[in-house]
Amino acid sequence: MRKVIVSMNISLDGFMSGQQRELDWHFASWGNDMSERLTRDLNQADTLLLGRNTYEAMAAYWQRVEIDSFFPRDDIAYAVMMNTTQKVVYSQTIRTLPWSNSRQAKGDLRRVVAALKQPRPGPEKNIMVYGSGQLVGALTHLGLVDEFHLWVHPVVLGRGMPLFPGGADKVQMFMQQMHTFRSGVVWFRYIVNKNGYDVILD
């Protein structure tokens, strides 16, 4: 079965961005060894599921990287992967899809995910979710996340947008893997115990 995997950079105190949605704190820690890990994960996926804000930001960035020869070769190669991978943007309001290989999905999120997880010809690959805080919250609430890949950065923000806000539903997980990168960032792979969910559905 195809898995829905949330991959998220977070601070030591659990924030995925600062108060003004700033992300400079995790760019400062990024290194080639982290890029290699991210590339391996993307190679095991064939679909990105994104919220509107993350989709629009990533579309502008990665399309520019692919055609800008001033970026490092590894960044350009990763940009090609991002640009050729299928993107599904879950949004009721988006009007244009400027990124190649993109389509919109809306309506019942459970049905959207169920359709994405249908078997396809060829090797079974995953569905990656990057950023997209509101979407991640909804997926978590509905018990639709199979794994969390958390990149914990050695920084305390104090305030910001939490990955798991107060009042979130209980989610039980077990840690499958961890790895420490040269910058001090620690990557954790958590498998969600679906039987541990206590979710009230509409």
Side-chain angles (χ1 to χ4, degrees), residues 99-199:
W99 206 356
S100 58
N101 303 305
S102 296
R103 67 179 178 87
Q104 180 184 10
K106 56 184 179 179
D108 189 324
L109 184 56
R110 286 164 291 195
R111 292 183 180 177
V112 169
V113 171
L116 290 176
K117 295 182 80 169
Q118 288 299 308
R120 299 182 178 189
E124 187 173 276
K125 292 204 168 187
N126 299 318
I127 302 157
M128 298 297 299
V129 184
Y130 295 137
S132 309
Q134 289 185 329
L135 175 60
V136 168
L139 291 167
T140 303
H141 173 75
L142 294 172
L144 299 175
V145 180
D146 297 295
E147 296 185 11
F148 285 91
H149 294 184
L150 302 183
W151 307 69
V152 182
H153 291 245
V155 61
V156 174
L157 297 181
R159 296 180 181 180
M161 299 183 63
L163 173 56
F164 301 112
D169 298 306
K170 180 181 179 181
V171 182
Q172 294 182 341
M173 307 181 230
F174 64 92
M175 189 178 72
Q176 180 74 15
Q177 289 177 268
M178 67 173 291
H179 180 81
T180 303
F181 297 99
R182 289 189 293 269
S183 63
V185 173
V186 183
W187 177 83
F188 295 94
R189 179 189 176 200
Y190 287 102
I191 310 299
V192 175
N193 173 11
K194 295 298 185 73
N195 294 328
Y197 275 107
D198 181 14
V199 178

Side-chain angles (χ1 to χ4, degrees), residues 16-138:
M16 54 187 174
S17 68
Q19 276 190 298
Q20 306 302 320
R21 299 182 182 270
E22 65 270 19
L23 301 173
D24 55 318
W25 52 274
H26 76 68
F27 295 140
S29 301
W30 203 261
N32 290 337
D33 53 346
M34 296 172 67
S35 295
E36 291 171 5
R37 170 77 261 177
L38 195 66
T39 299
R40 286 200 297 272
D41 286 348
L42 187 57
N43 272 324
Q44 295 173 9
D46 61 10
T47 304
L48 302 181
L49 177 59
L50 306 168
R52 180 177 60 82
N53 290 335
T54 297
Y55 172 85
E56 291 176 343
M58 283 189 165
Y61 180 77
W62 289 113
Q63 291 182 106
R64 179 169 59 88
V65 171
E66 183 175 350
I67 61 175
D68 190 338
S69 60
F70 286 99
F71 278 93
R73 183 178 301 176
D74 288 346
D75 287 1
I76 294 173
Y78 187 76
V80 171
M81 290 178 62
M82 291 288 286
N83 293 334
T84 56
T85 298
Q86 175 182 305
K87 274 79 65 176
V88 178
V89 53
Y90 182 75
S91 170
Q92 315 299 320
T93 60
I94 197 166
R95 293 290 178 265
T96 61
L97 299 171
W99 206 356
S100 58
N101 303 305
S102 296
R103 67 179 178 87
Q104 180 184 10
K106 56 184 179 179
D108 189 324
L109 184 56
R110 286 164 291 195
R111 292 183 180 177
V112 169
V113 171
L116 290 176
K117 295 182 80 169
Q118 288 299 308
R120 299 182 178 189
E124 187 173 276
K125 292 204 168 187
N126 299 318
I127 302 157
M128 298 297 299
V129 184
Y130 295 137
S132 309
Q134 289 185 329
L135 175 60
V136 168

